[in-house]
Amino acid sequence: MGRPIDGGLLESRQQDAVMEEATAGKVFISRKPETKHPDSFAALREAGIKQLEALCGDVWSDYNPHDPGVTILEQLCYALTELIYRNSFDTADYLTGPDGRIEFEKLALHRPESVFPCRPTTDSDYRRALLDAVPSIDNVWLSNDWQPVARRQARAAQGLHPLIVRVESDSPEERLRAADAVKQAYLARRNLCEDILGTVLVAPVIPVELHATIEFDGTRLADDVLAEIFHDCAALIAADVKVTPLRESLDADVSLEELLSGPLAGIGQLEERRFGSEDDVIQIADLVAAVSRIDSVVTVTALWIESGSAEDRLRHHEVLQRFRDGRVLQLRVPKPGEPDCHVRLTKNGRPFDALAEDLWRKYAELDFKARERRQARTQIHSLYTPPSGSYRDFSRYHSLQNQFPNVYGISAEGVPGSAPAADHGRAAQLKAYLMLFEQLLADHGENTEHLADLFSTEPGTSDSYHWRFLDADLIPGAERVIGNEELARRYHDETMRSLDDHTERRSRLYDHMLAAYGESFMQSSLRGFDHYYDREETDSVVVENKLEYLRAVTTITRDRAAAFDYTRSTCLVPLSAREGPNVSGLEYRASLLLGFRQRDQRSLVAPVSGCEYVSAYESPDDDELSTAMSGETAELERLLQAFVGDISTEAIEPDDSFHRVPDCERSEKAAFTRLPEGLTVPSFRSARKEQLLAVGVRAERYRIGRCPQSSDGDESYVVAFSDGEDRWWRLATVEGRTRAEHAARALRSTLIRLNVNCEGMHLLEHILLRPFAGGERHFTKTPDWNEALWENFYPLRFSVMLPAWTARCRDPNFRLLAEETFALNAPAHTFGQCLWLETDEMSAFEQSHGEWLRLRRDRNATVEAIDAAAVDLVDQLLGYQARARDASKL
């Protein structure tokens, strides 16, 4: 570095003064100033020089390239331009893996077919969804305006939908299969507090005949024109579904968002109109217009429709009602061997006849093409091209020390062996100095390479920061700086990992990702009710809940009003062993928001009552799975009963030698799920289970100390427990302090597990308890009782049964939070009530509920048996509601 030189600076200032004097008062076009990109090498170098001038300009003024300090500055600026370049790629490039693909599901980048559609809500939505799900039907209606009986019942209980379908086939078996398929499709898409009114009705038809005299120009064969006339008129009379395929709509500049509005269906867009009402009539003028549009038709001389029997023949010249007394009109098309065709084609007044065989064959061809078009399904993913990127290996790092001239001795060639030791030391010192900067540069590349992992929603992903250890493979001669590489690498990893608060960082990251879907998942209110975990564990549970919420954010929001399918099994089996979780959307969403770890429909009392775990609900088909479930509950029951004794006879007074059980490392807690063998414990009394469950999850309830009766050399320790009323009870006598601590932790761990496994809910829709098969009353009850239920029990109401015995659910504030959660998340048109049941009440409810579900799934069950099971549940719910009202008055 040179000394300060003022001569050059003085000469430059003198030249500026002369130029200013020469140009004074003159007008000229100024030269366009040179602009530098703020991230360019020149701009970075200039900014670095300015910093150096500000920091040490009084001692360092030589900023020419030959100066070693400037050389270092230039190398760092060059490296920074490389980082800036790596930050300039498209977002898709950072998310593309080595295989060239972007794993959208892994990154919670849900596809348009998951984001845009909604559940069927209106009658039109249900029509589209059912027509898409059941290609064998020709039409379906949910309107009940033309069914007087259905109209009365629908007014009495909102949420009941009559389903009427039209099937072309005359086969009773095919009509029955079509009705069953429509029922299953509806139940799979059913919304909360809604159901089918009665049974699915396959509408009978009223045959009608077309009479017409039509002039045509003879450019087409008569049978072709007749076939098209019958086909178009038959479609108009039967109100055939008019479908526009999705691809055609997209080509007509309909946006993808508009195409995917409503329920997800590959059938295409349906014509919007009102179906199945008394006002749905056929205008004869519409038939005339449809025939007139057919190619080769010149004019329609006359056209009318005839219906009724030969003795009661009706002729319709103006309008014709499409629906009559639950039946639909169907145009009779002449078949070979049937009466003559009543549609006459003329040319210049001369009639043209067509063979019935040719007419029927060509009509069948037109009908087949129309059905093929209507039944075609478009794969949604074929309508758009997902984003794609190019994989770039951002983790590849080339040390900037390789760019230095060899004279510095830090490149791959290093310092010559013949050089003095002082030169080797200076080179190592410079290398160590530069490695501080290179660590930042290498870590930047490593974090960029793992950017997709940072946004990953796969379980098991923990680290939010990534780093690179600078070994000799990356930095030439690094071994002289780091020394023992194994020790240095371990220390480096431990240091970096200690600085990575991945739980908190991922929590904020998931909040950001949820905000992209307009959702938030703040669980701060739950932290005040966490009786089971320490702060670190609670943070991890919150992150796990957010992660699950993010994975299922589209279904959680879209299917919030979804109901469960009561014709499918609801027993506790793994998700992989069934078609999907069969719980209502509200149950799943509320369980997630309330922090319930078990979100399937299952027995809640089973973990503390043994065999009822399986018997209350349908047993799994897999014998091995059933045995495993029974074995687990038996083990939990044994662990619980091993400690719950007749503690009223085991009261003790802990002295100063008794102390709290010290906490252990999180990695060791998994070991405390089974009790040590050979413990001496008193006999148990099951009446104290719920008390122990409620207070036994708190660590401060446990003490261990030397057994008062122990003699010298006896290492017996007492595990004591407080019931929260300043009383202490002897739980166990254990040989050795370590085993005593292990026993206390095992008990607490078991009780936490029992509490967690008992937490959940049963949501029961009242409308499903109405008289089966569309009846108006339960005949075992009085008319007044039935009428009251139709008035304020069945319609749009549901009850949520929750456990009252767990540690959290005993907290009045947590109960208030749960009730507010349901009030905020339930569909606005429904009304729900939370009922908190003790173990005996929950057990009775689950027995009745399980039997009712079994009967609803049993096709051979009698109406009397189903109604009796429903009445049992209604009586229980009314009793729980009355008790809740009485409690609210206190």
Side-chain angles (χ1 to χ4, degrees):
M1 299 181 184
R3 297 178 179 178
I5 300 178
D6 296 333
L9 180 61
L10 178 60
E11 182 179 354
S12 177
R13 289 178 177 174
Q14 289 174 347
Q15 292 177 354
D16 292 341
V18 173
M19 180 63 69
E20 183 177 354
E21 182 179 355
T23 58
K26 297 181 180 179
V27 179
F28 57 91
I29 299 175
S30 61
R31 180 178 297 174
K32 182 179 180 180
E34 181 181 356
T35 58
K36 299 176 182 177
H37 193 281
D39 295 334
S40 65
F41 172 81
L44 292 173
R45 184 184 185 280
E46 182 179 329
I49 295 296
K50 288 182 179 179
Q51 287 289 330
L52 292 175
E53 289 177 340
L55 293 173
C56 52
D58 55 338
V59 296
W60 182 6
S61 60
D62 186 1
Y63 303 117
N64 293 307
H66 67 266
D67 189 274
V70 174
T71 301
I72 294 175
L73 173 64
E74 289 179 345
Q75 292 299 330
L76 291 176
C77 290
Y78 172 73
L80 287 176
T81 60
E82 173 67 16
L83 298 190
I84 293 169
Y85 168 71
R86 292 188 174 198
N87 286 341
S88 63
F89 297 115
D90 291 336
T91 303
D93 291 353
Y94 299 106
L95 304 178
T96 302
D99 57 358
R101 297 187 304 108
I102 300 177
E103 300 183 61
F104 295 99
E105 290 75 15
K106 171 183 174 182
L107 300 172
L109 298 175
H110 300 286
R111 296 178 179 270
E113 57 265 36
S114 298
V115 175
F116 289 136
C118 67
R119 288 191 65 80
T121 305
T122 65
D123 288 354
S124 297
D125 288 343
Y126 272 114
R127 287 190 68 248
R128 185 183 182 196
L130 295 177
L131 287 168
D132 180 74
V134 189
S136 61
I137 62 175
D138 294 297
N139 214 331
V140 58
W141 298 273
L142 284 83
S143 174
N144 52 35
D145 292 341
W146 48 291
Q147 285 189 312
V149 176
R151 191 184 310 131
R152 289 198 304 269
Q153 293 186 0
R155 282 201 301 264
Q158 302 174 54
L160 293 177
H161 296 290
L163 286 178
I164 305 98
V165 299
R166 184 170 74 85
V167 182
E168 188 71 20
S169 174
D170 295 329
S171 169
E173 293 78 11
E174 291 186 13
R175 294 168 71 87
L176 186 61
R177 281 196 296 268
D180 188 64
V182 169
K183 175 183 178 181
Q184 295 304 320
Y186 173 84
L187 293 179
R189 294 158 179 79
R190 186 175 68 88
N191 288 322
L192 203 65
C193 299
E194 296 181 2
D195 198 14
I196 300 175
L197 179 60
T199 58
V200 179
L201 173 65
V202 180
V205 299
I206 302 176
V208 296
E209 291 182 348
L210 176 65
H211 292 254
T213 302
I214 301 168
E215 181 77 10
F216 82 123
D217 58 14
T219 57
R220 297 174 61 196
L221 295 176
D223 48 6
D224 288 338
V225 177
L226 278 174
E228 191 168 351
I229 291 172
F230 274 101
H231 179 268
D232 291 358
C233 290
L236 190 59
I237 291 173
D240 274 357
V241 179
K242 294 184 178 180
V243 176
T244 303
L246 295 177
R247 174 60 65 181
E248 292 184 13
S249 299
L250 194 64
D251 294 340
D253 294 331
V254 179
S255 67
L256 184 64
E257 181 178 358
E258 185 177 352
L259 281 182
L260 297 180
S261 61
L264 182 65
I267 190 174
Q269 292 187 302
L270 306 186
E271 179 188 29
E272 291 294 336
R273 56 168 295 177
R274 188 180 182 189
F275 290 91
S277 67
E278 294 175 344
D279 301 327
D280 196 353
V281 297
I282 303 168
Q283 299 285 346
I284 302 301
D286 292 339
L287 293 175
V288 173
V291 173
S292 300
R293 288 192 295 267
I294 295 175
D295 186 28
S296 190
V297 171
V298 176
T299 183
V300 179
T301 306
L303 188 148
W304 68 91
I305 296 292
E306 290 189 2
S307 63
S309 61
E311 296 79 13
D312 189 18
R313 203 70 171 168
L314 297 176
R315 181 176 291 189
H316 308 273
H317 290 278
E318 295 183 359
V319 296
L320 177 64
Q321 187 174 328
R322 183 175 277 115
F323 301 92
R324 295 182 185 176
D325 300 327
R327 296 184 296 171
V328 296
L329 300 184
Q330 180 176 327
L331 182 64
R332 187 184 68 82
V333 180
K335 296 181 181 180
E338 292 187 352
D340 294 338
C341 174
H342 299 291
V343 178
R344 299 182 62 82
L345 290 182
T346 63
K347 179 183 177 183
N348 299 325
R350 296 175 57 189
F352 273 70
D353 295 328
L355 294 176
E357 293 80 0
D358 294 338
L359 170 60
W360 176 252
R361 176 174 54 81
K362 294 186 177 182
Y363 172 84
E365 291 176 359
L366 292 174
D367 185 64
F368 176 79
K369 291 179 180 179
R371 287 178 180 276
E372 186 179 40
R373 176 182 174 85
R374 187 170 68 243
Q375 295 178 3
R377 300 295 183 265
T378 302
Q379 297 296 323
I380 305 299
H381 62 78
S382 67
L383 299 176
Y384 65 92
T385 302
S388 61
S390 301
Y391 173 69
R392 305 177 188 274
D393 187 4
F394 294 105
S395 64
R396 185 177 58 185
Y397 182 73
H398 184 70
S399 172
L400 63 86
Q401 298 186 30
N402 291 315
Q403 311 298 326
F404 277 77
N406 290 339
V407 69
Y408 285 80
I410 59 175
S411 61
E413 286 74 12
V415 180
S418 59
D423 291 350
H424 285 276
R426 282 192 291 269
Q429 186 180 24
L430 177 59
K431 184 180 292 293
Y433 172 75
L434 292 175
M435 285 177 67
L436 295 175
F437 297 94
E438 294 213 67
Q439 184 67 65
L440 297 176
L441 298 175
D443 287 352
H444 176 278
E446 198 70 16
N447 279 284
T448 306
E449 174 68 17
H450 290 88
L451 194 61
D453 295 332
L454 180 64
F455 287 88
S456 173
T457 60
E458 288 188 344
T461 306
S462 57
D463 295 336
S464 65
Y465 284 111
H466 296 270
W467 50 88
R468 189 78 175 269
F469 181 73
L470 302 182
D471 55 15
D473 293 335
L474 290 179
I475 309 296
E479 67 277 1
R480 295 192 57 192
V481 176
I482 61 179
N484 187 324
E485 180 177 335
E486 181 181 354
L487 181 63
R489 186 186 295 273
R490 184 171 69 250
Y491 179 76
H492 175 266
D493 291 345
E494 290 175 355
T495 302
M496 298 299 293
R497 190 165 283 111
S498 67
L499 299 174
D500 181 14
D501 188 359
H502 59 85
T503 301
E504 190 273 339
R505 190 165 182 241
R506 285 193 174 276
S507 181
R508 289 188 287 111
L509 179 66
Y510 295 150
D511 287 338
H512 169 76
M513 296 171 71
L514 283 169
Y517 296 99
E519 288 287 324
S520 62
F521 189 44
M522 308 304 294
Q523 286 200 309
S524 55
S525 57
L526 276 180
R527 295 179 184 273
F529 306 110
D530 193 10
H531 298 69
Y532 310 137
Y533 312 109
D534 58 29
R535 180 174 180 179
E536 181 182 356
E537 292 171 325
T538 300
D539 291 340
S540 297
V541 170
V542 169
V543 170
E544 290 174 8
N545 288 348
K546 286 184 179 181
L547 189 57
E548 183 169 353
Y549 196 98
L550 183 61
R551 291 194 200 105
V553 63
T554 55
T555 55
I556 284 177
T557 53
R558 180 188 65 230
D559 297 338
R560 181 180 66 175
F564 85 110
D565 184 352
Y566 52 77
T567 63
R568 286 173 48 202
S569 174
T570 56
C571 65
L572 182 60
V573 297
L575 296 182
S576 59
R578 43 174 149 139
E579 302 170 12
N582 189 20
V583 295
S584 68
L586 181 59
E587 280 182 272
Y588 186 81
R589 183 182 178 96
S591 295
L592 201 56
L593 293 174
L594 293 174
F596 291 166
R597 307 302 299 276
Q598 308 289 342
R599 303 182 184 103
D600 286 336
Q601 193 176 65
R602 71 200 194 288
S603 171
L604 303 181
V605 296
V608 292
S609 61
C611 297
E612 296 164 6
Y613 188 41
V614 174
S615 63
Y617 293 91
E618 181 178 297
S619 301
D621 296 332
D622 189 344
D623 293 337
E624 182 179 350
L625 177 62
S626 178
T627 302
M629 290 199 309
S630 301
E632 179 175 335
T633 53
E635 174 66 11
L636 290 174
E637 180 75 1
R638 187 190 69 81
L639 291 174
L640 182 64
Q641 293 182 0
F643 271 113
V644 183
D646 187 1
I647 56 180
S648 60
T649 61
E650 297 287 339
I652 62 173
E653 293 291 339
D655 54 27
D656 295 339
S657 65
F658 279 73
H659 59 274
R660 291 187 55 174
V661 180
D663 202 1
C664 61
E665 295 294 332
R666 186 179 180 184
S667 59
E668 300 175 6
K669 291 185 178 181
F672 302 123
T673 57
R674 294 294 183 267
L675 303 180
E677 297 295 334
L679 293 182
T680 302
V681 296
S683 60
F684 74 94
R685 191 175 66 183
S686 59
R688 308 197 65 91
K689 281 183 184 179
E690 295 181 16
Q691 181 185 11
L692 184 61
L693 275 173
V695 298
V697 298
R698 306 181 66 87
E700 63 270 18
R701 300 291 188 187
Y702 298 89
R703 295 287 189 274
I704 61 172
R706 292 289 299 271
C707 183
Q709 293 82 18
S710 61
S711 57
D712 293 339
D714 186 359
E715 293 295 326
S716 297
Y717 278 78
V718 171
V719 179
F721 171 77
S722 173
D723 60 5
E725 300 176 1
D726 295 329
R727 293 177 299 182
W728 289 86
W729 313 97
R730 183 197 303 268
L731 289 179
T733 302
V734 185
E735 187 69 23
R737 174 173 175 172
T738 301
R739 296 184 76 242
E741 293 175 355
H742 181 102
R745 290 171 184 150
L747 173 60
R748 179 169 177 261
S749 176
T750 300
L751 293 175
I752 290 175
R753 184 179 179 185
L754 286 171
N755 274 270
V756 169
N757 287 341
C758 286
E759 288 185 340
M761 66 189 70
H762 297 294
L763 189 149
L764 182 55
E765 305 160 68
H766 295 184
I767 195 66
L768 301 182
L769 301 178
R770 72 190 188 282
F772 189 62
E776 295 188 0
R777 53 173 296 205
H778 289 293
F779 292 101
T780 58
K781 295 291 185 176
T782 65
D784 291 343
W785 187 90
N786 281 280
E787 184 177 351
L789 294 186
W790 283 108
E791 187 68 27
N792 53 27
F793 182 82
Y794 292 138
L796 305 178
R797 285 169 169 80
F798 64 89
S799 294
V800 184
M801 272 55 67
L802 295 133
W805 63 86
T806 67
R808 279 202 306 174
C809 294
R810 280 179 176 269
D811 190 331
N813 292 323
F814 179 79
R815 294 188 179 187
L816 180 61
L817 174 66
E819 292 165 2
E820 290 178 349
T821 300
F822 278 100
L824 292 174
N825 290 278
H829 65 285
T830 63
F831 176 78
Q833 182 178 10
C834 293
L835 301 172
W836 302 89
L837 308 185
E838 298 296 343
T839 52
D840 54 344
E841 296 171 324
M842 186 67 77
S843 179
F845 171 80
E846 288 183 352
Q847 291 289 342
S848 300
H849 188 221
E851 177 63 13
W852 174 75
L853 285 174
R854 186 189 66 78
L855 291 171
R856 289 302 300 261
R857 291 192 298 268
D858 187 358
R859 291 178 177 268
N860 298 320
T862 63
V863 173
E864 293 76 13
I866 295 175
D867 283 352
V871 168
D872 185 23
L873 281 174
V874 170
D875 287 338
Q876 290 188 42
L877 291 180
L878 293 177
Y880 299 147
Q881 290 176 352
R883 189 194 62 187
R885 286 194 298 270
D886 294 340
S888 64
K889 297 177 183 178
L890 299 179

